[in-house]
mmCIF file of all heavy atoms in Angstrom:
data_model
loop_
_atom_site.group_PDB
_atom_site.id
_atom_site.type_symbol
_atom_site.label_atom_id
_atom_site.label_comp_id
_atom_site.label_asym_id
_atom_site.label_seq_id
_atom_site.Cartn_x
_atom_site.Cartn_y
_atom_site.Cartn_z
ATOM 1 N N GLN K 1 39.180 -15.961 -11.392
ATOM 2 C CA GLN K 1 38.739 -14.860 -10.537
ATOM 3 C C GLN K 1 38.150 -13.727 -11.369
ATOM 4 O O GLN K 1 37.140 -13.122 -10.977
ATOM 5 C CB GLN K 1 39.912 -14.362 -9.701
ATOM 6 C CG GLN K 1 40.381 -15.365 -8.653
ATOM 7 C CD GLN K 1 41.720 -15.006 -8.047
ATOM 8 O OE1 GLN K 1 42.255 -13.917 -8.288
ATOM 9 N NE2 GLN K 1 42.278 -15.912 -7.268
ATOM 10 N N ALA K 2 38.758 -13.440 -12.527
ATOM 11 C CA ALA K 2 38.251 -12.373 -13.387
ATOM 12 C C ALA K 2 36.869 -12.734 -13.924
ATOM 13 O O ALA K 2 35.970 -11.886 -13.991
ATOM 14 C CB ALA K 2 39.221 -12.119 -14.536
ATOM 15 N N HIS K 3 36.694 -13.987 -14.317
ATOM 16 C CA HIS K 3 35.397 -14.458 -14.812
ATOM 17 C C HIS K 3 34.319 -14.240 -13.748
ATOM 18 O O HIS K 3 33.250 -13.681 -14.030
ATOM 19 C CB HIS K 3 35.519 -15.944 -15.161
ATOM 20 C CG HIS K 3 34.259 -16.571 -15.653
ATOM 21 N ND1 HIS K 3 33.895 -16.578 -16.979
ATOM 22 C CD2 HIS K 3 33.266 -17.237 -14.994
ATOM 23 C CE1 HIS K 3 32.735 -17.211 -17.126
ATOM 24 N NE2 HIS K 3 32.335 -17.620 -15.922
ATOM 25 N N ALA K 4 34.602 -14.668 -12.527
ATOM 26 C CA ALA K 4 33.631 -14.519 -11.444
ATOM 27 C C ALA K 4 33.424 -13.055 -11.075
ATOM 28 O O ALA K 4 32.298 -12.639 -10.766
ATOM 29 C CB ALA K 4 34.093 -15.309 -10.224
ATOM 30 N N ARG K 5 34.495 -12.280 -11.110
ATOM 31 C CA ARG K 5 34.378 -10.867 -10.720
ATOM 32 C C ARG K 5 33.422 -10.113 -11.637
ATOM 33 O O ARG K 5 32.595 -9.315 -11.168
ATOM 34 C CB ARG K 5 35.760 -10.208 -10.751
ATOM 35 C CG ARG K 5 35.759 -8.767 -10.268
ATOM 36 C CD ARG K 5 37.151 -8.173 -10.274
ATOM 37 N NE ARG K 5 37.676 -8.019 -11.614
ATOM 38 C CZ ARG K 5 38.686 -8.717 -12.111
ATOM 39 N NH1 ARG K 5 39.292 -9.636 -11.370
ATOM 40 N NH2 ARG K 5 39.112 -8.516 -13.348
ATOM 41 N N ILE K 6 33.506 -10.372 -12.935
ATOM 42 C CA ILE K 6 32.622 -9.695 -13.884
ATOM 43 C C ILE K 6 31.176 -10.108 -13.654
ATOM 44 O O ILE K 6 30.263 -9.271 -13.604
ATOM 45 C CB ILE K 6 33.057 -10.008 -15.335
ATOM 46 C CG1 ILE K 6 34.431 -9.385 -15.622
ATOM 47 C CG2 ILE K 6 32.019 -9.494 -16.327
ATOM 48 C CD1 ILE K 6 34.495 -7.891 -15.424
ATOM 49 N N LEU K 7 30.937 -11.395 -13.479
ATOM 50 C CA LEU K 7 29.566 -11.876 -13.289
ATOM 51 C C LEU K 7 28.994 -11.420 -11.949
ATOM 52 O O LEU K 7 27.857 -10.952 -11.875
ATOM 53 C CB LEU K 7 29.544 -13.400 -13.385
ATOM 54 C CG LEU K 7 29.830 -13.967 -14.775
ATOM 55 C CD1 LEU K 7 30.030 -15.476 -14.705
ATOM 56 C CD2 LEU K 7 28.704 -13.633 -15.745
ATOM 57 N N ASP K 8 29.782 -11.541 -10.884
ATOM 58 C CA ASP K 8 29.279 -11.162 -9.566
ATOM 59 C C ASP K 8 29.059 -9.658 -9.477
ATOM 60 O O ASP K 8 28.088 -9.192 -8.866
ATOM 61 C CB ASP K 8 30.251 -11.617 -8.477
ATOM 62 C CG ASP K 8 30.335 -13.135 -8.374
ATOM 63 O OD1 ASP K 8 29.458 -13.817 -8.939
ATOM 64 O OD2 ASP K 8 31.278 -13.634 -7.738
ATOM 65 N N GLY K 9 29.961 -8.884 -10.087
ATOM 66 C CA GLY K 9 29.780 -7.442 -10.085
ATOM 67 C C GLY K 9 28.518 -7.031 -10.822
ATOM 68 O O GLY K 9 27.784 -6.137 -10.387
ATOM 69 N N THR K 10 28.234 -7.712 -11.916
ATOM 70 C CA THR K 10 27.025 -7.411 -12.686
ATOM 71 C C THR K 10 25.776 -7.759 -11.900
ATOM 72 O O THR K 10 24.760 -7.052 -11.967
ATOM 73 C CB THR K 10 27.038 -8.191 -14.008
ATOM 74 O OG1 THR K 10 28.223 -7.869 -14.748
ATOM 75 C CG2 THR K 10 25.823 -7.854 -14.853
ATOM 76 N N SER K 11 25.835 -8.839 -11.118
ATOM 77 C CA SER K 11 24.659 -9.279 -10.364
ATOM 78 C C SER K 11 24.214 -8.252 -9.331
ATOM 79 O O SER K 11 23.075 -8.311 -8.854
ATOM 80 C CB SER K 11 24.946 -10.616 -9.666
ATOM 81 O OG SER K 11 25.830 -10.445 -8.569
ATOM 82 N N HIS K 12 25.090 -7.302 -8.979
ATOM 83 C CA HIS K 12 24.719 -6.257 -8.030
ATOM 84 C C HIS K 12 23.734 -5.269 -8.641
ATOM 85 O O HIS K 12 22.988 -4.600 -7.912
ATOM 86 C CB HIS K 12 25.961 -5.486 -7.582
ATOM 87 C CG HIS K 12 26.867 -6.288 -6.703
ATOM 88 N ND1 HIS K 12 27.707 -5.724 -5.782
ATOM 89 C CD2 HIS K 12 27.065 -7.627 -6.597
ATOM 90 C CE1 HIS K 12 28.388 -6.670 -5.151
ATOM 91 N NE2 HIS K 12 28.013 -7.826 -5.644
ATOM 92 N N VAL K 13 23.745 -5.157 -9.973
ATOM 93 C CA VAL K 13 22.943 -4.113 -10.619
ATOM 94 C C VAL K 13 21.929 -4.645 -11.624
ATOM 95 O O VAL K 13 21.037 -3.907 -12.050
ATOM 96 C CB VAL K 13 23.873 -3.092 -11.334
ATOM 97 C CG1 VAL K 13 24.753 -2.388 -10.317
ATOM 98 C CG2 VAL K 13 24.734 -3.768 -12.397
ATOM 99 N N ALA K 14 22.051 -5.918 -12.035
ATOM 100 C CA ALA K 14 21.153 -6.444 -13.064
ATOM 101 C C ALA K 14 21.149 -7.965 -13.014
ATOM 102 O O ALA K 14 22.102 -8.585 -12.518
ATOM 103 C CB ALA K 14 21.610 -5.981 -14.455
ATOM 104 N N PRO K 15 20.086 -8.606 -13.517
ATOM 105 C CA PRO K 15 20.100 -10.069 -13.608
ATOM 106 C C PRO K 15 21.152 -10.520 -14.604
ATOM 107 O O PRO K 15 21.416 -9.828 -15.602
ATOM 108 C CB PRO K 15 18.685 -10.410 -14.090
ATOM 109 C CG PRO K 15 18.209 -9.174 -14.790
ATOM 110 C CD PRO K 15 18.841 -8.029 -14.049
ATOM 111 N N VAL K 16 21.759 -11.659 -14.339
ATOM 112 C CA VAL K 16 22.804 -12.164 -15.235
ATOM 113 C C VAL K 16 22.722 -13.683 -15.287
ATOM 114 O O VAL K 16 22.514 -14.340 -14.266
ATOM 115 C CB VAL K 16 24.208 -11.703 -14.766
ATOM 116 C CG1 VAL K 16 24.468 -12.121 -13.325
ATOM 117 C CG2 VAL K 16 25.305 -12.251 -15.685
ATOM 118 N N LEU K 17 22.850 -14.229 -16.499
ATOM 119 C CA LEU K 17 22.922 -15.673 -16.701
ATOM 120 C C LEU K 17 24.380 -16.025 -16.963
ATOM 121 O O LEU K 17 24.924 -15.694 -18.017
ATOM 122 C CB LEU K 17 22.074 -16.106 -17.900
ATOM 123 C CG LEU K 17 20.618 -15.647 -17.935
ATOM 124 C CD1 LEU K 17 19.950 -16.168 -19.211
ATOM 125 C CD2 LEU K 17 19.873 -16.137 -16.710
ATOM 126 N N PRO K 18 25.048 -16.668 -16.021
ATOM 127 C CA PRO K 18 26.467 -16.952 -16.217
ATOM 128 C C PRO K 18 26.700 -18.077 -17.220
ATOM 129 O O PRO K 18 25.919 -19.031 -17.292
ATOM 130 C CB PRO K 18 26.934 -17.371 -14.822
ATOM 131 C CG PRO K 18 25.708 -17.906 -14.162
ATOM 132 C CD PRO K 18 24.552 -17.121 -14.709
ATOM 133 N N LEU K 19 27.761 -17.946 -18.004
ATOM 134 C CA LEU K 19 28.257 -19.053 -18.810
ATOM 135 C C LEU K 19 29.380 -19.723 -18.025
ATOM 136 O O LEU K 19 30.043 -19.074 -17.213
ATOM 137 C CB LEU K 19 28.781 -18.588 -20.169
ATOM 138 C CG LEU K 19 27.766 -18.602 -21.317
ATOM 139 C CD1 LEU K 19 26.763 -17.476 -21.137
ATOM 140 C CD2 LEU K 19 28.467 -18.489 -22.672
ATOM 141 N N ARG K 20 29.572 -20.988 -18.263
ATOM 142 C CA ARG K 20 30.670 -21.674 -17.602
ATOM 143 C C ARG K 20 31.993 -21.087 -18.093
ATOM 144 O O ARG K 20 32.105 -20.626 -19.226
ATOM 145 C CB ARG K 20 30.623 -23.177 -17.881
ATOM 146 C CG ARG K 20 29.365 -23.837 -17.333
ATOM 147 C CD ARG K 20 29.463 -25.347 -17.347
ATOM 148 N NE ARG K 20 28.199 -25.955 -16.959
ATOM 149 C CZ ARG K 20 27.786 -26.092 -15.709
ATOM 150 N NH1 ARG K 20 28.548 -25.635 -14.719
ATOM 151 N NH2 ARG K 20 26.628 -26.651 -15.432
ATOM 152 N N PHE K 21 32.978 -21.153 -17.210
ATOM 153 C CA PHE K 21 34.293 -20.618 -17.542
ATOM 154 C C PHE K 21 34.817 -21.261 -18.827
ATOM 155 O O PHE K 21 34.713 -22.466 -19.019
ATOM 156 C CB PHE K 21 35.265 -20.893 -16.390
ATOM 157 C CG PHE K 21 36.659 -20.438 -16.680
ATOM 158 C CD1 PHE K 21 37.012 -19.106 -16.530
ATOM 159 C CD2 PHE K 21 37.625 -21.332 -17.112
ATOM 160 C CE1 PHE K 21 38.297 -18.672 -16.807
ATOM 161 C CE2 PHE K 21 38.909 -20.916 -17.383
ATOM 162 C CZ PHE K 21 39.238 -19.578 -17.231
ATOM 163 N N GLY K 22 35.387 -20.426 -19.701
ATOM 164 C CA GLY K 22 36.033 -20.921 -20.910
ATOM 165 C C GLY K 22 35.205 -20.869 -22.171
ATOM 166 O O GLY K 22 35.586 -21.469 -23.182
ATOM 167 N N ALA K 23 34.085 -20.144 -22.160
ATOM 168 C CA ALA K 23 33.239 -20.044 -23.357
ATOM 169 C C ALA K 23 33.860 -19.062 -24.348
ATOM 170 O O ALA K 23 33.945 -17.868 -24.075
ATOM 171 C CB ALA K 23 31.838 -19.596 -22.984
ATOM 172 N N VAL K 24 34.291 -19.559 -25.493
ATOM 173 C CA VAL K 24 34.974 -18.746 -26.496
ATOM 174 C C VAL K 24 34.347 -19.005 -27.860
ATOM 175 O O VAL K 24 34.050 -20.153 -28.211
ATOM 176 C CB VAL K 24 36.485 -19.081 -26.547
ATOM 177 C CG1 VAL K 24 37.168 -18.322 -27.671
ATOM 178 C CG2 VAL K 24 37.147 -18.751 -25.215
ATOM 179 N N VAL K 25 34.126 -17.922 -28.624
ATOM 180 C CA VAL K 25 33.640 -18.036 -29.997
ATOM 181 C C VAL K 25 34.562 -17.243 -30.912
ATOM 182 O O VAL K 25 35.416 -16.484 -30.458
ATOM 183 C CB VAL K 25 32.193 -17.550 -30.146
ATOM 184 C CG1 VAL K 25 31.251 -18.430 -29.347
ATOM 185 C CG2 VAL K 25 32.057 -16.107 -29.701
ATOM 186 N N SER K 26 34.362 -17.423 -32.208
ATOM 187 C CA SER K 26 35.311 -16.867 -33.171
ATOM 188 C C SER K 26 35.251 -15.348 -33.277
ATOM 189 O O SER K 26 36.279 -14.684 -33.413
ATOM 190 C CB SER K 26 35.071 -17.489 -34.557
ATOM 191 O OG SER K 26 33.718 -17.274 -34.962
ATOM 192 N N ASP K 27 34.046 -14.777 -33.232
ATOM 193 C CA ASP K 27 33.927 -13.325 -33.407
ATOM 194 C C ASP K 27 32.583 -12.853 -32.852
ATOM 195 O O ASP K 27 31.784 -13.641 -32.353
ATOM 196 C CB ASP K 27 34.080 -12.933 -34.878
ATOM 197 C CG ASP K 27 33.135 -13.707 -35.798
ATOM 198 O OD1 ASP K 27 32.009 -14.028 -35.352
ATOM 199 O OD2 ASP K 27 33.519 -13.989 -36.946
ATOM 200 N N ARG K 28 32.317 -11.571 -32.969
ATOM 201 C CA ARG K 28 31.082 -10.998 -32.421
ATOM 202 C C ARG K 28 29.842 -11.493 -33.159
ATOM 203 O O ARG K 28 28.776 -11.633 -32.560
ATOM 204 C CB ARG K 28 31.169 -9.459 -32.446
ATOM 205 C CG ARG K 28 32.169 -8.917 -31.432
ATOM 206 C CD ARG K 28 32.494 -7.455 -31.679
ATOM 207 N NE ARG K 28 33.484 -6.953 -30.735
ATOM 208 C CZ ARG K 28 34.786 -7.183 -30.841
ATOM 209 N NH1 ARG K 28 35.258 -7.903 -31.861
ATOM 210 N NH2 ARG K 28 35.623 -6.697 -29.938
ATOM 211 N N ASP K 29 29.974 -11.739 -34.462
ATOM 212 C CA ASP K 29 28.836 -12.288 -35.203
ATOM 213 C C ASP K 29 28.436 -13.656 -34.647
ATOM 214 O O ASP K 29 27.247 -13.988 -34.574
ATOM 215 C CB ASP K 29 29.173 -12.423 -36.694
ATOM 216 C CG ASP K 29 29.212 -11.072 -37.403
ATOM 217 O OD1 ASP K 29 28.644 -10.104 -36.849
ATOM 218 O OD2 ASP K 29 29.807 -10.994 -38.488
ATOM 219 N N ALA K 30 29.432 -14.439 -34.251
ATOM 220 C CA ALA K 30 29.139 -15.754 -33.677
ATOM 221 C C ALA K 30 28.426 -15.628 -32.335
ATOM 222 O O ALA K 30 27.579 -16.461 -31.988
ATOM 223 C CB ALA K 30 30.430 -16.551 -33.516
ATOM 224 N N VAL K 31 28.759 -14.590 -31.583
ATOM 225 C CA VAL K 31 28.053 -14.351 -30.320
ATOM 226 C C VAL K 31 26.566 -14.171 -30.596
ATOM 227 O O VAL K 31 25.709 -14.738 -29.915
ATOM 228 C CB VAL K 31 28.618 -13.112 -29.590
ATOM 229 C CG1 VAL K 31 27.766 -12.794 -28.362
ATOM 230 C CG2 VAL K 31 30.072 -13.320 -29.197
ATOM 231 N N VAL K 32 26.248 -13.381 -31.625
ATOM 232 C CA VAL K 32 24.852 -13.124 -31.972
ATOM 233 C C VAL K 32 24.203 -14.379 -32.554
ATOM 234 O O VAL K 32 23.145 -14.823 -32.082
ATOM 235 C CB VAL K 32 24.745 -11.948 -32.972
ATOM 236 C CG1 VAL K 32 23.311 -11.806 -33.457
ATOM 237 C CG2 VAL K 32 25.236 -10.662 -32.328
ATOM 238 N N ASN K 33 24.835 -14.960 -33.557
ATOM 239 C CA ASN K 33 24.192 -16.038 -34.311
ATOM 240 C C ASN K 33 24.168 -17.371 -33.569
ATOM 241 O O ASN K 33 23.198 -18.132 -33.677
ATOM 242 C CB ASN K 33 24.895 -16.213 -35.658
ATOM 243 C CG ASN K 33 24.801 -14.974 -36.522
ATOM 244 O OD1 ASN K 33 23.802 -14.249 -36.470
ATOM 245 N ND2 ASN K 33 25.832 -14.702 -37.319
ATOM 246 N N GLU K 34 25.237 -17.691 -32.846
ATOM 247 C CA GLU K 34 25.349 -19.001 -32.220
ATOM 248 C C GLU K 34 24.879 -19.023 -30.770
ATOM 249 O O GLU K 34 24.740 -20.090 -30.181
ATOM 250 C CB GLU K 34 26.805 -19.485 -32.280
ATOM 251 C CG GLU K 34 27.337 -19.645 -33.692
ATOM 252 C CD GLU K 34 28.820 -19.960 -33.719
ATOM 253 O OE1 GLU K 34 29.370 -20.304 -32.653
ATOM 254 O OE2 GLU K 34 29.437 -19.861 -34.793
#
């Protein structure tokens, strides 16, 4: 529910590309690089 709430709430104000539930990376650098 939290995953959907963040994505759906964002869709009210901006375009959003959802990731499937459970997407986890090691750190913020990995978010950028990977």
Side-chain angles (χ1 to χ4, degrees):
Q1 292 167 8
H3 179 88
R5 184 178 67 248
I6 293 302
L7 292 170
D8 294 346
T10 303
S11 72
H12 290 207
V13 297
V16 56
L17 308 179
L19 268 72
R20 297 192 186 280
F21 177 81
V24 175
V25 296
S26 57
D27 53 33
R28 290 167 182 79
D29 287 341
V31 174
V32 173
N33 298 327
E34 299 173 14

